Amino acid sequence: MDFEEFRRSGHDFVTWMADYLSQIEGYRVRAQLEPGAILAQLPEEPPQNGEAIDEIFADFLRILLPGITHWQHPRFLAYFPANSSPPSVLAEMLTATLGAQCMLWETSPAAAELEQRVMEWLGGLVGLGPVFTGSIQDSASSATLLAIIAAAERASGGRFSRDGLAGGPRLILYCSAEAHSSVEKGARIAGIGAANVRKIPVDQNGAMIPAALREAVRTDRANGHVPACIVGCFGTTGVGAIDPLEELAAIARAESIFLHVDAAWAGAALILPELQHRAVGLAAADSIVLNPHKWLMTNFDCSAFFMREPAQLAQALSLTPTYLETRSASSIPEYRDWSIALGRRFRALKLWFVLRSYGVDNLRAKIRSDLGAAERLCGLIRASADFELTSGPNLALLSFRYAPTDVQDLDALNDRLLRTVNDEGFTYLTKTRHRGQLVIRISIGQTYTTWRHVEESWYHIQDCARRLAR
């Protein structure tokens, strides 16, 4: 492809992208294919000769697009959103064009210094003071792994990175029974092991019980183990529960345990000054993660990881062979020491575009709109005779279940309802378990979602339920 063809195709692609986003409500939200349907249409061998870009794009539309679940659809109410926005997409195009590998300040000074500044902006917006230093990771899973590594390094007095864990006391990690699966996965990857993860009981709202945490720490110390890390949640994945962070911070401080807070989804809501009181204790953490790619209109992947003492992480990860030696200014962090991978994308660019394009006021207005939609939907569910609200709204997340009085197995009924809704593709929902019951989640926060889309989805859910009851 020469540059003139690149120019023409680029114009065509951007036109298609604008049409796609403006007409996305015409698609079914979830892909409606059977496993293997895409694979069956793809040749088993690559082409020997190059093919025209128009032919490749035609196959994208014909073969691949039907297999896409449309995360940017305004009736995408499943999981948590993976946000996007036109300014962020344009920034990603620039990032791809530059093709920069931003592992060191010297390899991309603009990337390093912009990352430092936008993390300062974001930290200030969510109420974190200058004591925290931020970096951008690919996901909250990676950020949590980094926190666990820093905690293990501190708890072992540096033995973790130098000698490993063999032959020493067992390091213990504590988290809520409702914590994201990435916490245990991080413990496995870091070598702590799943057997050394203590899943602390939760109260009826799904929040960690501090007394149970204290008892677990006491028991582990008595058995000669080393409590290394506590992972608290500001907005659990299942129902959006908020752990008592102030009490967790007090325990961590008293016991000299590293405290990491997973605020991957809900942390974005802290740009609202009126919500910052709900995160009392957050600023006492050792590390915090929140994902602009979930609720701040920024394309995946963009995960903001804040640390009180990043030198602890750098101590565990920093390696400088001759080929990485540079004369970089010491005042600028070398972010390769704060990441699992040496290579780093220019992720700060899209967040910079979003923050500047929308401004703080519009980002706050979007989150307030989503919170309001969740409140209104909860009111409709409470008013419905055959449905019950099972949690929330916890910020913009709630759960419910279909509960007609003449049905015994409500778990099976709600599973059928969920499959029916998702198979029809008008909206997309996911499930969880809460207080032992299977419940259906609704997560509001996709960039283009308004109250109309939430209300339409609710009426469709009711219609599906009525058809099941016939």
Side-chain angles (χ1 to χ4, degrees):
M1 175 184 285
D2 61 29
F3 291 127
E4 283 308 310
E5 187 180 3
F6 174 65
R7 186 191 312 278
R8 178 189 62 78
S9 297
H11 283 295
D12 291 344
F13 281 20
V14 169
T15 297
W16 180 86
M17 288 188 282
D19 289 344
Y20 169 78
L21 291 173
S22 65
Q23 300 166 16
I24 197 167
E25 290 187 51
Y27 292 90
R28 292 186 178 187
V29 184
R30 195 198 69 186
Q32 303 291 308
L33 299 178
E34 294 296 323
I38 301 295
L39 193 61
Q41 299 177 74
L42 299 173
E44 294 184 0
E45 300 291 336
Q48 293 298 314
N49 299 304
E51 298 179 288
I53 196 69
D54 291 343
E55 294 178 13
I56 300 170
F57 187 59
D59 281 348
F60 163 78
L61 297 176
R62 180 179 62 87
I63 300 174
L64 299 185
L65 193 60
I68 293 294
T69 290
H70 299 283
W71 285 73
Q72 303 314 310
H73 198 297
R75 288 192 298 272
F76 185 102
L77 304 174
Y79 303 104
F80 288 123
N83 273 184
S84 176
S85 65
S88 182
V89 172
L90 292 175
E92 282 280 57
M93 292 170 66
L94 294 177
T95 299
T97 300
L98 294 172
Q101 210 281 49
C102 308
M103 59 185 176
L104 301 166
W105 176 87
E106 186 172 291
T107 63
S108 289
E113 296 186 25
L114 184 64
E115 183 164 344
Q116 179 174 339
R117 183 62 77 214
V118 296
M119 287 297 94
E120 291 169 355
W121 285 1
L122 185 58
L125 285 175
V126 299
L128 298 178
V131 68
F132 285 94
T133 304
S135 63
I136 302 180
Q137 306 296 329
D138 59 359
S139 64
S141 297
S142 291
T144 296
L145 173 58
L146 291 169
I148 293 170
I149 290 170
E153 185 74 359
R154 190 172 85 176
S156 66
R159 182 176 60 86
F160 173 76
S161 62
R162 185 182 62 250
D163 303 323
L165 297 177
R170 293 167 63 179
L171 301 185
I172 308 297
L173 184 150
Y174 307 87
C175 64
S176 155
E178 294 295 318
H180 192 271
S181 59
S182 61
V183 177
E184 181 177 327
K185 188 173 185 178
R188 293 182 183 188
I189 295 170
I192 289 175
N196 296 318
V197 176
R198 307 287 185 257
K199 296 184 179 180
I200 306 301
V202 298
D203 62 21
Q204 62 177 359
N205 296 316
M208 190 191 302
I209 300 172
L213 173 62
R214 288 192 192 93
E215 179 59 24
V217 170
R218 186 197 66 77
T219 299
D220 281 320
R221 287 206 189 280
N223 289 329
H225 307 325
V226 177
C229 185
I230 299 168
V231 179
C233 293
F234 183 77
T236 60
T237 303
V239 298
I242 297 173
D243 288 340
L245 300 180
E246 191 170 25
E247 293 180 74
L248 301 192
I251 295 170
R253 187 166 51 249
E255 298 286 347
S256 298
I257 304 174
F258 190 102
L259 174 61
H260 173 64
V261 176
D262 179 355
W265 157 67
L270 296 177
I271 71 169
L272 302 183
E274 65 268 27
L275 289 184
Q276 290 183 4
H277 71 280
R278 299 188 63 178
V280 173
L282 181 68
D286 293 288
S287 64
I288 301 150
V289 62
L290 66 94
N291 288 347
H293 66 233
K294 280 191 168 70
W295 207 2
L296 285 177
M297 300 191 186
T298 306
N299 285 64
F300 184 85
D301 53 0
C302 184
S303 185
F305 180 50
F306 295 94
M307 293 199 73
R308 182 179 295 276
E309 297 180 39
Q312 293 174 339
L313 182 62
Q315 177 181 311
L317 298 182
S318 180
L319 291 167
T320 309
T322 303
Y323 51 79
L324 292 178
E325 291 177 356
T326 68
R327 298 174 59 191
S328 301
S330 59
S331 61
I332 303 298
E334 289 290 21
Y335 290 113
R336 53 105 180 191
D337 292 335
W338 302 4
S339 301
I340 301 299
L342 172 61
R344 306 186 85 248
R345 298 180 65 241
F346 191 0
R347 297 185 181 96
L349 187 64
K350 56 192 171 187
L351 182 55
W352 188 56
F353 266 53
V354 168
L355 290 171
R356 293 190 61 188
S357 180
Y358 289 101
V360 174
D361 287 348
N362 284 320
L363 293 173
R364 285 173 172 162
K366 166 58 179 167
I367 290 179
R368 288 188 181 112
S369 174
D370 293 338
L371 299 177
E375 290 280 1
R376 292 178 70 179
L377 179 57
C378 284
L380 293 181
I381 296 172
R382 291 188 189 101
S384 175
D386 289 335
F387 288 82
E388 60 183 24
L389 186 69
T390 50
S391 68
N394 291 322
L395 300 177
L397 177 64
L398 58 100
S399 69
F400 70 93
R401 66 177 186 160
Y402 182 37
T405 56
D406 58 343
V407 176
Q408 294 296 316
D409 191 347
L410 292 179
D411 280 5
L413 178 63
N414 279 272
D415 210 28
R416 287 174 56 209
L417 173 60
L418 182 67
R419 289 198 305 272
T420 300
V421 170
N422 289 343
D423 286 349
E424 294 192 0
F426 184 77
T427 187
Y428 187 30
L429 313 173
T430 44
K431 62 186 176 181
T432 190
R433 283 202 168 271
H434 182 54
R435 300 176 187 172
Q437 300 173 332
L438 186 143
V439 299
I440 299 173
R441 298 167 71 257
I442 289 184
S443 174
I444 301 169
Q446 201 286 323
T447 298
Y448 308 108
T449 299
T450 66
W451 169 244
R452 171 176 70 83
H453 303 107
V454 175
E455 186 178 39
E456 288 173 348
S457 297
W458 170 240
Y459 291 145
H460 181 71
I461 293 164
Q462 290 181 300
D463 180 63
C464 290
R466 281 191 293 268
R467 284 186 272 126
L468 281 180
R470 290 175 188 162

